[in-house]
Amino acid sequence: MASFPSLRVARAALVCGIASTALAGCASTGGGAPQLPSATFVQNQEGPGEEYIIGPLDELQIFVWRNPELGGKVQVRPDGRITTPLITDMPAVGKTPTMLQQDIKLQLSQYITDPIVSVIVTTFNSTFSQQVRVVGATEKPASIPFRANMTVLDAMIAVGGLGEYAAGNKARLVRFDKGSGKQQEFGLRLNDLIKRGDIKANVRLQPGDVIIIPESMF
């Protein structure tokens, strides 16, 4: 039979083990929001992404190879349609540039053989689902049209950086996950990115993202 001192030692070891496990669990979960991976590179493409959805009042440049008179600059009307030479009242809202390009090509095929068409969005006036919004302690809160390969650094430059009392490392990125239908939150390290030049704190953005920057308590 074990002596009383031995039992006391065993009980103390068990308590210490439980406490260590609890502390490890707390350390692993943490109180902050999850972090997004760093944006490791930026491509040269500056236009909207391939999944950009054309919205009302967007301005488009339409090119028809070897038939420049059939293209030109057009603005999407409030009713969501465009009109070009030989094409009247074509729906544009809700389509990507590639989809609209194919629709124009199909219509022009009635008049010319194998038309080659390109559609470029030159001015963005799209819905909030195609924008990135920055609110809170920044120089000028704004909604920014999303562009391909856009990062948090691009967004912060567009709004003039952090405000004087911004708690940049407590900022949050709110993103709607279409797959799950739920809203997600991620932590941002804006102080590290802007004031310390830590490029690892730069992350990619997606259309519809909202960046919320709180003010410091003191």
Side-chain angles (χ1 to χ4, degrees), residues 53-185:
I53 305 299
I54 296 171
L57 304 182
D58 280 356
E59 293 184 5
L60 313 176
Q61 178 71 57
I62 300 173
F63 297 95
V64 183
W65 188 53
R66 291 185 175 177
N67 295 273
E69 71 280 359
L70 299 181
K73 291 185 178 181
V74 297
Q75 185 174 45
V76 183
R77 302 197 304 261
D79 65 358
R81 298 173 180 270
I82 61 171
T83 295
T84 66
L86 301 182
I87 299 176
T88 303
D89 294 340
M90 171 170 283
V93 166
K95 299 177 182 178
T96 65
T98 301
M99 293 168 61
L100 181 59
Q101 174 181 303
Q102 293 300 319
D103 289 347
I104 293 174
K105 178 180 178 180
L106 182 62
Q107 290 293 319
L108 291 180
S109 296
Q110 302 177 50
Y111 309 102
I112 58 178
T113 303
D114 295 327
I116 299 176
V117 181
S118 296
V119 175
I120 298 174
V121 182
T122 57
T123 303
F124 316 95
N125 295 290
S126 57
T127 60
F128 287 134
S129 65
Q130 295 295 308
Q131 296 179 353
V132 172
R133 285 169 282 177
V134 185
V135 297
T138 181
E139 290 299 322
K140 45 180 180 180
S143 292
I144 311 162
F146 177 80
R147 294 174 180 265
N149 304 305
M150 192 174 187
T151 67
V152 166
L153 181 58
D154 298 323
M156 295 310 301
I157 291 173
V159 298
L162 295 172
E164 182 179 0
Y165 302 106
N169 280 357
K170 294 182 179 180
R172 291 290 183 268
L173 185 148
V174 181
R175 175 175 294 168
F176 180 75
D177 184 354
K178 294 180 180 178
S180 65
K182 295 181 180 179
Q183 183 172 282
Q184 296 177 310
E185 282 196 17

